[in-house]
Amino acid sequence: MRILNLFFFICITKLSFSQPIKFQQFLVDKENTDTKYNDVYFDRDGLMWVATSDGLYQFDGEDFLLFTVNIKSFENDVTTIFQDRNKVIWTGYKNGKIALLKDDSLKLFNPEEGLPVKLITSITQDSKGVMWFTTAGEGVYFLLNNRLYNINEDDGLSDNYTYKAIEDNNGYVWIGTDQGVTICNASVKNKIIKKLDYKSGLPDEIVRDMFKDVNGNIWLGTQEKGICKYNFKENKIEILTSMLNWNYGQVNSINISDNEWWIGTEDNGLINYNLRNKSLTLEYKLSETEKYNNISCVEKDKEGNVWATCNNGLIKSAGNALSFLNKIKNKNLNFIHTILSNQNNQLFFTPDQQLTRLTQTDKEESIKEYQITNSKKLIDIVSLYEDKCGYIWVGTMGEGLFRVNPETGVKQKISGLNSIEKANVLSIAARDNELWIATLSGVVKCNLPDDCNTDFLNVTFSSMESQKEIGNYFVYKVFVDSKKRVWIGTDGKGLTCYDGTNFINYNKKNGLTSDVIYSITEDSNGNIWFSTLEGGIYKFDGKKFINYTVVNGLSESTSSSIIYDGNNHIVIVTHKGIDLLNTTSGMVENITQENYLDKIEADLNSITKDDFGNIWIGTQNGIIKFNSNFRSMYSAAVPVIKKVMLLADGKFVKPNTTLKYHQNNISIDFAGLWYTNPRQVNYQYQLVGYNKQWITTKDKRIIFSDLQPGNYQFKLRASAINNFENASETTFNFSISNPIWKEIWFRISAVILITFLILYYLKIRERNIKRLQTLEKEKIKFQLDTLKSQVNPHFLFNSFNTLISIIEKDKDIAVEYVENLSAFFRNIVTYRDKDFITLDEEMKLSAAYYFLQQKRFGKYLTMNVNIEKEKLDMLVPPLVVQILIENAIKHNAVSKETTLTIDVFTKDNRLIVKNNLNVKRSIEASTQTGLENIINRYRLLTRNEIEITKTEKEFIVSLPLIEIKT
């Protein structure tokens, strides 16, 4: 034995082990690095809100939308956020102000009693509907029956500096202060119920945050002593053993769920503890590996992602669901060809041709290294298996098979069969006392003795007739299922099953699209799953094969490894990342490079699962640890209708509103909340009452124009995998009323009246009709003349203002300006009595007007004209282009920093006038007749409508050209 121990090189090392969690950073404004991120909050729909020093932001995973209090010189430094039971968002500010979000704007809350002047640290609402506000210096306030009451030191509050309010299961509100916890009641007479301090068992009286768990216990985050628990069942404070040596400083935020503790600290970033073996174990310390610190708030979304606000912005991670092991002893882990978790949850893996064991306990983590083959030969280890006695079987590329005692390191070279001595062993599995070994030369069955608890086994072999029974010499995977059937994945001959008596082959004749089988696993219902080369994933229930491909949501059609996670998911490793296939619904979730994973280079079947539900994946660049138990595993994005607006006046529409008949142009903004990968979300919508089919889109805004009177229901569903069969759905109902002349009562009355009039005025019908026709023509002519008369004063007013400005700057230019202005008015006099002029004449008018304005703004105003020659003889109402140029100048800033470009061109019998947007902060006074004038003139003169489009960058008006009738 001593000689054997000298022969093996065994290295046991204690190490400080960490599994870095990858974070993504989100900034509301990448150019403004001075923004402070104070709080993050998820409302009842799952929509995220972020409190910053610049204001309140709404975030759907892709886009930030800013909300501020529109009061001049108001300090929009939001410190805390809360949504009440009526879904109203409340915001607290650094200056002590409080605001409510109504109709997409923040309105200040102004109670008669006045507001605090100190920073608002938290807002909450108790089960009775009472709102609570904690402050940094004025104690706590509560809103009862529309009256604001204060609780401070004079009332018995522990300290006026308060941090957090939270309600317990008895209906009392706990207030964390600089002098412990005060338990309060929303009663004018009996405000204080109880106090907790050092005498009550608090390790630190400065309580900065509190969190109520599912059992009703309240966890307290302190200034210097970490976190402790108030146990309601035993009515006492408990200090966790793990917190006795807390040295991470001030606790700002606590989030506890799914047996994991996320603690945001002031100076040491994000701390993560995990409940393992009934003991709280430090899993992760953010500041060790990342640049983020000063964590002010920690929250988890419905998908299990962890979000935090810190000094460097808003950050997100998959939490304990996804972490990475990239180094051991400051040495990079490379080329992990195979990996195995044994019955003691020790991890065996093979970096750089060497077998390594990682042992993690509640107190320490250590590694042990084994030398299996001659290090100079660089022999790769590609398969591992643990037998019932705890020995590790090691399969190599070219050096056959070894059996290792993991405690002593003693190894046995397996011999007795020529084909196994120098074999390439790709996979190992056991069926009772039979060890099935997959090689590049077929499958070998190794017969084991009943007693395996010895360092050296006497084994015998049975070689399969590969071509006859298995179908191929080249085997990638052997797998033994719960029924003790042996499944064999081959390279080119499909899948073979050995049931103890017969070999059954499944291939393309059975409906498989690929005969190359890479990996095999079994779910809890006994279904067999296997991956193929470019054929996706198959499920076999013993009777039929069900295929899942990229059409069903897989990120790729080829996967290197699959395994069942015990949580109703098949974990699929692809080149792009990890796919999670729900064994019940068939839905697929992708964890790819866009969210947390970089490009994965993993060998075949380099995957294993431990008893804690962790899936370990060996790759070329280290080890990935994934645990679906820490994720909610939503199979579809959550659809949220963010706002519905009237296009005409920008007013917001509430659900179940009845609109007037002319309020029939609406826009609907929505999102699909899938924070893991929001860009992956697709949408389907249907407006019941308007269309009968679902429409698929990637857009997040839909506009409906000219809706007819009736009842409507907007239905929205979202999916992260473009499969909407089981997608959740949300709706928005509204109605559009009939005009009065379409109401039944009006129609009945009209019919009676018309019948009476017909009988009474039958003899004079013709005369009345002629009179009505004459009146209608006069009415139209009067309206048209009225609209024309609005043109000259409107333009004259602006022209004189421009002239005054030029005279003050340069008299010579003013003379030239007056000459051109005079010529321009001569043209107006010429065309004012005409309903239409040619496009050629109109462009000459607009060119003269542009000359006048260009003299004013110089090179900062540009007009580009591209008119098709054959369109110059078509007709338009006079002065339409001039009015549009005038509007563009009036509503946009024109300067060196904000040049204005106007493009005039023709397309498809339409005249297009387009300008970029440099919206003025202070818009000059307007008679509001310019654009409305054009719209009304077109309505009176022709049936053709103008089209107006406004984007974030451009304003576009499309005018129909009228052909000359011959």
Side-chain angles (χ1 to χ4, degrees):
M1 182 64 69
R2 185 176 300 174
I3 297 176
L4 287 172
N5 285 335
L6 289 174
F7 179 79
F8 294 106
F9 170 73
I10 304 174
C11 176
I12 302 177
T13 307
K14 298 284 181 67
L15 71 156
S16 177
F17 176 74
S18 65
Q19 296 167 15
I21 298 173
K22 289 192 177 180
F23 279 83
Q24 288 179 288
Q25 182 189 45
F26 299 86
L27 299 175
V28 296
D29 184 353
K30 294 181 179 179
E31 296 181 358
N32 185 6
T33 58
D34 294 330
T35 300
K36 295 180 180 179
Y37 298 77
N38 302 318
D39 193 17
V40 59
Y41 182 85
F42 290 94
D43 65 24
R44 295 183 184 182
D45 294 325
L47 196 60
M48 187 190 303
W49 300 85
V50 185
T52 77
S53 56
D54 300 330
L56 175 68
Y57 282 90
Q58 183 191 81
F59 185 49
D60 60 12
E62 270 191 294
D63 303 314
F64 285 98
L65 181 61
L66 176 63
F67 300 89
T68 58
V69 175
N70 294 319
I71 297 178
K72 190 176 181 180
S73 73
F74 182 82
E75 185 180 358
N76 279 285
D77 193 341
V78 182
T79 54
T80 187
I81 312 166
F82 181 78
Q83 184 185 47
D84 65 22
R85 59 175 62 176
N86 296 319
K87 291 191 172 183
V88 176
I89 295 292
W90 294 70
T91 54
Y93 292 83
K94 185 178 181 180
N95 57 12
K97 303 297 183 183
I98 299 169
L100 294 85
L101 186 62
K102 293 183 177 180
D103 294 334
D104 261 23
S105 63
L106 283 168
K107 308 294 184 183
L108 282 182
F109 174 56
N110 290 310
E112 293 183 4
E113 301 74 29
L115 288 174
V117 295
K118 300 293 186 179
L119 181 149
I120 306 297
T121 52
S122 77
I123 304 174
T124 192
Q125 185 178 37
D126 64 25
S127 55
K128 301 180 185 69
V130 178
M131 298 296 300
W132 293 78
F133 312 92
T134 58
T135 72
E138 292 187 40
V140 61
Y141 289 81
F142 65 90
L143 182 65
L144 178 63
N145 297 326
N146 296 320
R147 183 177 177 85
L148 197 63
Y149 297 90
N150 178 239
I151 304 176
N152 55 36
E153 291 179 359
D154 294 337
D155 302 298
L157 189 70
S158 300
D159 193 274
N160 282 339
Y161 213 103
T162 60
Y163 297 100
K164 185 67 177 284
I166 189 170
E167 185 184 26
D168 63 22
N169 285 354
N170 296 324
Y172 298 121
V173 176
W174 292 44
I175 309 297
T177 78
D178 267 349
Q179 295 294 325
V181 175
T182 303
I183 303 173
C184 301
N185 185 28
S187 170
V188 178
K189 296 182 179 180
N190 185 25
K191 296 180 180 180
I192 306 299
I193 303 299
K194 184 179 179 181
K195 296 182 181 180
L196 300 177
D197 51 21
Y198 281 130
K199 297 178 181 179
S200 307
L202 274 178
D204 182 356
E205 286 191 335
I206 301 178
V207 178
R208 300 186 59 86
D209 192 30
M210 294 179 289
F211 187 92
K212 184 170 71 173
D213 64 23
V214 294
N215 298 315
N217 299 312
I218 293 183
W219 296 80
L220 311 173
T222 68
Q223 178 91 3
E224 297 179 349
K225 299 297 183 180
I227 62 176
C228 60
K229 179 177 75 171
Y230 187 87
N231 189 321
F232 265 87
K233 186 176 182 180
E234 299 183 10
N235 197 28
K236 68 177 184 179
I237 292 174
E238 295 179 355
I239 301 175
L240 283 69
T241 304
S242 305
M243 295 292 152
L244 293 176
N245 297 318
W246 176 267
N247 58 357
Y248 301 121
Q250 174 178 304
V251 173
N252 289 333
S253 182
I254 309 170
N255 189 281
I256 302 173
S257 63
D258 301 324
N259 293 329
E260 58 175 347
W261 279 250
W262 291 93
I263 305 171
T265 69
E266 183 75 14
D267 300 316
N268 285 279
L270 196 61
I271 312 296
N272 172 230
Y273 283 83
N274 184 21
L275 186 62
R276 177 189 296 163
N277 293 334
K278 298 183 179 180
S279 176
L280 202 60
T281 304
L282 179 64
E283 287 284 325
Y284 177 69
K285 183 169 173 288
L286 175 61
S287 60
E288 291 176 351
T289 56
E290 299 284 357
K291 59 185 178 181
Y292 311 111
N293 52 41
N294 190 16
I295 303 295
S296 56
C297 181
V298 183
E299 292 289 343
K300 289 185 70 175
D301 62 30
K302 293 180 180 180
E303 301 156 40
N305 299 299
V306 177
W307 295 83
T309 51
C310 66
N311 59 334
N312 283 2
L314 177 69
I315 58 176
K316 177 190 78 167
S317 84
N320 282 325
L322 192 66
S323 55
F324 305 84
L325 174 59
N326 305 110
K327 289 184 178 181
I328 288 182
K329 298 185 300 182
N330 294 323
K331 178 182 178 182
N332 291 329
L333 289 180
N334 296 312
F335 306 110
I336 310 298
H337 297 301
T338 185
I339 192 167
L340 169 72
S341 177
N342 71 353
Q343 56 193 351
N344 296 321
N345 292 303
Q346 296 170 313
L347 195 66
F348 290 82
F349 51 96
T350 57
D352 298 323
Q353 298 89 33
Q354 186 166 302
L355 181 62
T356 301
R357 183 185 73 183
L358 169 65
T359 302
Q360 294 177 274
T361 66
D362 295 337
K363 297 181 179 179
E364 62 183 8
E365 292 156 331
S366 62
I367 62 168
K368 181 175 183 177
E369 297 176 344
Y370 308 82
Q371 189 68 49
I372 302 301
T373 60
N374 190 329
S375 60
K376 295 182 180 180
K377 292 185 177 181
L378 300 179
I379 302 298
D380 286 327
I381 297 173
V382 293
S383 58
L384 295 171
Y385 172 77
E386 181 190 26
D387 63 26
K388 61 184 180 181
C389 293
Y391 283 76
I392 305 300
W393 294 72
V394 182
T396 69
M397 286 296 287
E399 287 292 327
L401 186 63
F402 296 84
R403 183 172 180 264
V404 180
N405 185 325
E407 300 305 321
T408 65
V410 174
K411 69 177 180 180
Q412 176 188 2
K413 168 76 171 179
I414 302 302
S415 59
L417 184 69
N418 291 335
S419 60
I420 204 70
E421 297 282 348
K422 296 292 183 179
N424 300 292
V425 181
L426 300 184
S427 179
I428 310 168
R431 178 179 179 271
D432 295 330
N433 287 343
E434 299 172 352
L435 199 69
W436 291 69
I437 305 164
T439 75
L440 298 184
S441 301
V443 174
V444 174
K445 185 172 69 174
C446 178
N447 303 304
L448 306 177
D450 292 334
D451 184 12
C452 62
N453 196 16
T454 177
D455 288 344
F456 296 95
L457 283 181
N458 292 320
V459 298
T460 59
F461 296 92
S462 300
S463 181
M464 304 289 103
E465 296 183 27
S466 303
Q467 290 293 342
K468 178 181 178 181
E469 298 170 325
I470 300 170
N472 199 330
Y473 284 111
F474 205 125
V475 175
Y476 289 116
K477 179 70 175 179
V478 287
F479 177 82
V480 178
D481 66 15
S482 58
K483 298 178 182 178
K484 297 185 179 181
R485 296 176 297 183
V486 181
W487 296 86
I488 303 169
T490 72
D491 181 24
K493 294 297 181 179
L495 183 68
T496 298
C497 175
Y498 175 66
D499 60 8
T501 305
N502 301 309
F503 286 89
I504 306 171
N505 294 103
Y506 301 100
N507 48 45
K508 289 184 177 180
K509 294 180 181 179
N510 303 96
L512 304 185
T513 58
S514 175
D515 283 340
V516 178
I517 312 299
Y518 283 150
S519 191
I520 309 169
T521 192
E522 180 185 19
D523 65 24
S524 57
N525 294 319
N527 299 308
I528 300 300
W529 298 76
F530 56 94
S531 66
T532 66
L533 173 63
E534 299 183 350
I537 304 297
Y538 280 89
K539 171 186 174 181
F540 183 51
D541 60 6
K543 296 181 180 179
K544 64 181 182 297
F545 293 91
I546 300 176
N547 187 211
Y548 298 88
T549 65
V550 291
V551 176
N552 305 95
L554 295 183
S555 58
E556 283 190 317
S557 57
T558 299
S559 59
S560 60
S561 305
I562 64 172
I563 197 169
Y564 180 64
D565 68 351
N567 196 24
N568 294 326
H569 288 87
I570 303 297
V571 179
I572 304 166
V573 181
T574 73
H575 186 69
K576 292 183 178 179
I578 298 174
D579 293 339
L580 300 172
L581 195 160
N582 189 299
T583 57
T584 303
S585 66
M587 303 297 285
V588 180
E589 177 188 352
N590 310 117
I591 302 177
T592 60
Q593 186 174 0
E594 288 194 4
N595 30 65
Y596 301 111
L597 289 175
D598 294 328
K599 184 177 180 181
I600 292 181
E601 296 287 350
D603 281 1
L604 295 180
N605 297 305
S606 182
I607 192 168
T608 189
K609 183 171 78 75
D610 63 24
D611 292 339
F612 301 113
N614 298 311
I615 305 297
W616 300 85
I617 303 167
T619 75
Q620 299 294 309
N621 299 310
I623 297 173
I624 299 171
K625 185 181 81 169
F626 175 76
N627 193 324
S628 61
N629 290 314
F630 289 103
R631 294 181 60 80
S632 298
M633 306 310 297
Y634 275 66
S635 58
V638 178
V640 174
I641 297 174
K642 298 166 70 174
K643 61 182 178 181
V644 180
M645 294 181 60
L646 295 176
L647 292 179
D649 52 18
K651 291 183 178 179
F652 289 86
V653 181
K654 296 181 179 179
N656 302 312
T657 297
T658 299
L659 304 172
K660 296 180 180 179
Y661 74 94
H662 62 274
Q663 295 176 318
N664 59 349
N665 299 305
I666 66 173
S667 67
I668 302 177
D669 288 29
F670 48 82
L673 301 182
W674 181 247
Y675 293 107
T676 300
N677 189 357
R679 294 181 181 178
Q680 192 175 328
V681 177
N682 291 287
Y683 304 94
Q684 281 192 343
Y685 69 90
Q686 179 185 10
L687 185 60
V688 178
Y690 179 78
N691 60 337
K692 297 181 179 180
Q693 296 179 341
W694 288 95
I695 299 173
T696 303
T697 182
K698 290 286 287 187
D699 295 331
K700 297 164 71 174
R701 169 180 286 184
I702 301 298
I703 295 176
F704 295 99
S705 302
D706 297 326
L707 292 174
Q708 296 299 311
N711 297 320
Y712 294 95
Q713 182 182 61
F714 180 77
K715 301 168 69 175
L716 174 72
R717 55 192 186 189
S719 173
I721 60 173
N722 205 22
N723 186 325
F724 297 91
E725 292 181 4
N726 299 307
S728 56
E729 185 177 299
T730 189
T731 60
F732 186 95
N733 298 317
F734 65 97
S735 301
I736 298 177
S737 62
N738 282 311
I740 190 172
W741 57 87
K742 288 188 177 182
E743 296 290 346
I744 294 178
W745 64 267
F746 183 88
R747 291 186 176 186
I748 294 174
S749 300
V751 169
I752 295 173
L753 180 61
I754 291 172
T755 302
F756 176 78
L757 291 175
I758 290 174
L759 293 174
Y760 187 76
Y761 293 104
L762 187 62
K763 293 182 180 181
I764 58 173
R765 181 172 67 88
E766 182 176 356
R767 186 179 63 184
N768 286 341
I769 292 175
K770 289 181 179 179
R771 184 177 62 85
L772 290 174
Q773 289 176 342
T774 302
L775 290 175
E776 185 67 19
K777 288 180 180 179
E778 290 177 354
K779 178 182 177 181
I780 293 174
K781 186 176 183 303
F782 174 77
Q783 291 175 340
L784 183 57
D785 290 342
T786 300
L787 290 170
K788 287 180 179 180
S789 68
Q790 295 175 356
V791 174
N792 288 339
H794 180 77
F795 176 74
L796 189 60
F797 175 80
N798 288 281
S799 297
F800 284 149
N801 281 340
T802 303
L803 181 58
I804 291 171
S805 174
I806 295 175
I807 290 174
E808 293 176 352
K809 294 179 180 179
D810 192 321
K811 294 182 179 180
D812 293 335
I813 295 178
V815 172
E816 183 180 6
Y817 183 88
V818 171
E819 292 174 351
N820 281 275
L821 182 61
S822 175
F824 180 77
F825 273 105
R826 283 197 298 271
N827 290 331
I828 291 180
V829 172
T830 302
Y831 295 114
R832 63 170 293 159
D833 295 325
K834 295 185 178 182
D835 292 337
F836 298 100
I837 63 175
T838 65
L839 180 57
D840 183 45
E841 293 170 322
E842 174 64 18
M843 292 313 299
K844 290 177 180 178
L845 275 173
S846 61
Y849 177 77
Y850 169 68
F851 172 82
L852 300 176
Q853 297 294 349
Q854 215 277 332
K855 285 296 183 182
R856 177 184 177 184
F857 296 103
K859 62 182 179 181
Y860 307 127
L861 173 65
T862 305
M863 184 171 76
N864 303 316
V865 179
N866 187 8
I867 304 295
E868 297 167 288
K869 186 176 181 180
E870 59 271 19
K871 298 294 193 299
L872 290 174
D873 292 330
M874 299 186 76
L875 302 178
V876 294
L879 303 177
V880 290
V881 176
Q882 178 261 318
I883 292 174
L884 292 176
I885 296 172
E886 181 184 6
N887 279 354
I889 296 171
K890 179 168 60 179
H891 294 287
N892 291 278
V894 184
S895 65
K896 180 180 180 181
E897 293 78 17
T898 56
T899 60
L900 180 64
T901 301
I902 303 172
D903 296 305
V904 184
F905 58 94
T906 54
K907 182 180 180 181
D908 297 333
N909 287 337
R910 298 187 76 88
L911 179 65
I912 314 297
V913 180
K914 176 175 69 174
N915 65 270
N916 60 305
L917 289 179
N918 303 315
V919 180
K920 295 179 179 178
R921 293 186 177 178
S922 178
I923 301 176
E924 63 189 71
S926 172
T927 60
Q928 301 295 325
T929 59
L931 192 56
E932 189 66 22
N933 181 290
I934 298 174
I935 295 172
N936 289 333
R937 288 163 68 189
Y938 265 96
R939 287 177 178 172
L940 292 172
L941 297 172
T942 177
R943 294 181 179 179
N944 298 326
E945 293 282 343
I946 73 170
E947 297 175 358
I948 301 172
T949 303
K950 185 176 181 181
T951 68
E952 293 181 356
K953 297 182 179 180
E954 295 180 327
F955 186 82
I956 306 169
V957 178
S958 175
L959 305 169
L961 294 174
I962 303 167
E963 294 184 288
I964 300 176
K965 295 183 178 179
T966 58

